[in-house]
């Protein structure tokens, strides 16, 4: 299983902070599509993804136990 | 000493500055980001900052490494606050020391621009008539391809 | 509040920063000039700064006025120390607040460059094998004609 | 009479911090020449002059009571 984390407006839209999801073997792009459908999330094309706290590209393949975070455009500073 | 921190309590600017003091440095610059009352003429009541904390600390440290490689002899410390912040409260303090002054300005500015690109921290503005998570403050689409650029990927 | 000062005692950075806090500001930059141990490979033991105090205060204030005219909404405070300073001691603190961050860096940098041009303060370096009044740190002949340029003349 | 102030290396060379000098009616250039001769001061061509705490050009005429300061290249900051 994989832990999937939501932040900022994605968390508000999803209504949860995190979910457990079987994502092992899927690419980041696959997971994005599944998650955006399941939670009805919009604007996923500007959302970045992190695997185990490092940015990942859409073609990266998720491993068992990886923590996935969806990172909306950041606004710190 | 922790040079890169996410803080829940008010930031003590001096303690961030103290981390970068070195005998080889002739210049220290600090950037203090404060909560401004007016943005595009709209009155902010307060802000709430949220971070993906472990990753945010890693990315702040990455920015420090980038700076220390690019400006030899520099030393960097960054603390970013999360939670509810009122007008004039400090959101972030960046301190950079370098042997010569031009580098201290350039390296510090690099740090704040990178924070706005790669550090997973978000702010929610609260106005009298509503609230909203603020997207990309660079006012450009930072990642038009939906993925970070090569240089933004980890260490 | 005195925004432009020559100080005989150690400078409290925070107290200089506090002078420029404003609800309209989103950014405060500070420049802290410290005494560096090595310059061109030569080891400094300590420095002595001297000022033509009343004129130095006027010229610091002039720099503040120049900045507030050039970067609208900015606020400036500068304290420069005189007397004997040891390695890592603070010689000058410049604090600038502005609504937007790019201005805070540019205005602050402008301040330190102008200090090195027009403010009557001199430093004497003390090394193991001697001492010397340091001339023009810009490492150019600032006034080849022997007189200041038009823009440098006070009001 | 006029008060004439010396700073930094000029003060070390002159051996005094200030002198009283009858400079009224003279230009800054005149005064510079007289002072550099009297005190054996070198490198006066990079020295600026202030009258009453404001920079003055070499052709400015000194008034009775003006305070004159010779300002070597500055090195604050």
């Amino acid at each position: 299983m994989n832990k999937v984390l939501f932040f900022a407006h994605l968390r508000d839209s999803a209504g949860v902070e995190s979910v457990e999801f079987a994502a092992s073997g899927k690419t980041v792009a696959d997971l994005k599509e599944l998650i955006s459908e399941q939670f009805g999330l919009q604007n996923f094309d500007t959302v970045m993804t992190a695997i185990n706290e490092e940015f990942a590209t859409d073609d990266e393949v998720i491993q068992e136990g990886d923590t996935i975070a969806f990172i909306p455009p950041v606004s710190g500073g | 000493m922790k040079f890169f921190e996410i803080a829940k309590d008010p930031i003590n600017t001096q303690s961030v500055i103290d981390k970068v003091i070195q005998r080889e440095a002739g210049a220290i610059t600090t950037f203090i980001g404060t909560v401004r009352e007016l943005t595009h003429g709209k009155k902010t009541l307060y802000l709430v900052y949220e971070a993906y904390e472990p990753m945010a600390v890693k990315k702040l440290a990455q920015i420090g490494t980038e700076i220390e490689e690019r400006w030899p002899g520099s030393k960097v410390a960054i603390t970013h606050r999360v939670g509810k912040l009122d007008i004039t409260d400090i959101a972030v303090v960046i301190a950079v020391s370098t042997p010569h002054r031009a580098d201290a300005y350039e390296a510090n500015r690099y740090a704040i621009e990178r924070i706005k690109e790669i550090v997973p921290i978000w702010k929610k503005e609260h106005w009298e008539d509503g609230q909203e998570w603020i997207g990309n403050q660079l006012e450009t689409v930072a990642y038009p391809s939906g993925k970070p650029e090569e240089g933004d990927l980890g260490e």
Side-chain angles (χ1 to χ4, degrees), chain A, chain B:
Chain A
M1 289 297 279
N2 299 86
K3 195 166 194 178
V4 178
L5 308 174
F6 300 102
F7 293 97
H9 73 82
L10 286 182
R11 192 196 49 219
D12 290 355
S13 303
V16 291
E17 281 191 32
S18 68
V19 290
E20 295 289 328
F21 202 93
S24 154
K26 294 185 170 59
T27 64
V28 164
D30 291 341
L31 180 64
K32 273 187 166 179
E33 206 179 315
L34 287 165
I35 290 282
S36 74
E37 274 171 25
Q38 179 162 342
F39 290 93
L41 301 175
Q42 308 291 320
N43 297 328
F44 242 60
D45 35 325
T46 60
V47 170
M48 294 179 275
T49 308
I51 300 179
N52 302 328
E53 302 165 9
E54 287 297 348
F55 287 113
T57 49
D58 273 0
D59 55 6
E60 220 158 304
V61 176
I62 295 159
Q63 308 296 313
E64 177 62 23
D66 282 350
T67 296
I68 315 302
F70 291 118
I71 314 274
V74 303
S75 52
Chain B
M1 192 153 25
K2 294 197 297 185
F3 288 90
F4 305 98
E5 286 190 76
I6 299 296
K8 286 170 188 71
D9 298 314
I11 303 173
N12 179 327
T13 303
Q14 189 62 53
S15 77
V16 183
I17 294 171
D18 288 345
K19 294 176 189 173
V20 303
I21 291 174
Q22 46 173 342
R23 295 176 75 82
E24 299 76 24
I28 301 172
T29 51
T30 68
F31 175 85
I32 302 166
T34 55
V35 178
R36 190 176 55 219
E37 187 162 35
L38 293 174
T39 296
H40 304 307
K42 203 164 180 182
K43 193 171 173 181
T44 299
L45 298 180
Y46 62 92
L47 299 180
V48 175
Y49 278 94
E50 167 184 311
Y52 178 18
E53 187 169 332
M55 182 169 169
V57 170
K58 272 192 192 174
K59 292 288 129 186
L60 291 176
Q62 177 187 327
I63 293 169
T65 303
E66 288 172 5
I67 288 174
E68 286 162 13
E69 282 170 2
R70 190 155 160 182
W71 287 277
S74 63
K75 210 164 163 183
V76 185
I78 307 174
T79 300
H80 200 299
R81 193 172 163 200
V82 291
K84 178 175 183 255
L85 274 76
D86 294 313
I87 307 304
T88 79
D89 278 357
I90 297 174
V92 62
V93 174
I94 303 167
V96 178
S97 67
T98 61
H100 299 283
R101 68 185 181 284
D103 290 350
Y105 286 105
E106 283 167 25
N108 197 303
R109 178 124 186 223
Y110 177 85
I112 185 68
E113 300 301 334
R114 287 295 272 161
I115 286 172
K116 290 173 184 290
E117 281 172 7
I118 65 162
V119 180
I121 298 175
W122 302 269
K123 75 172 167 192
K124 193 174 197 171
E125 292 212 6
H126 290 255
W127 308 289
E128 274 171 5
D129 60 349
Q131 57 195 55
E132 195 181 353
W133 285 106
I134 303 303
N136 166 10
Q137 283 184 295
L138 295 173
E139 285 167 12
T140 59
V141 179
Y143 300 101
S145 61
K147 55 182 198 278
E149 307 302 317
E150 211 38 52
D152 295 338
L153 301 173
E155 42 264 74

